[in-house]
Amino acid sequence: DMSGEASTLGKKEYLAKCIELKIVPVAMFIAKLECEHINLRHYGVGIKGAKSLAEALKVNTRIKSLNLGDNWFADEGTQAV
């Protein structure tokens, strides 16, 4: 049961994509969904993780900057985000 505000954060979408892609969610990303700036540098996100993050970013209206440096997602992951 999510309020209107919570539904704009993208947690549900992110977790659903993680399950679909069979990856472990990044707890720090979930914890910071309400923040304007998130630093996930060196988190080992990978291509599937980038695709999952993208699902949250489609609906999240708060995140203004997201540092994803050094996460090994190459062109495919970059395009997803």
Side-chain angles (χ1 to χ4, degrees), residues 34-45:
E34 293 186 30
C35 298
E36 286 190 5
H37 309 284
I38 302 175
N39 183 0
L40 295 179
R41 188 169 174 83
H42 305 295
Y43 268 78
V45 172

Side-chain angles (χ1 to χ4, degrees), residues 53-66:
L53 292 174
E55 293 303 308
L57 295 175
K58 288 178 184 176
V59 297
N60 187 296
T61 57
R62 295 183 184 212
I63 299 171
K64 304 293 182 222
S65 69
L66 179 60

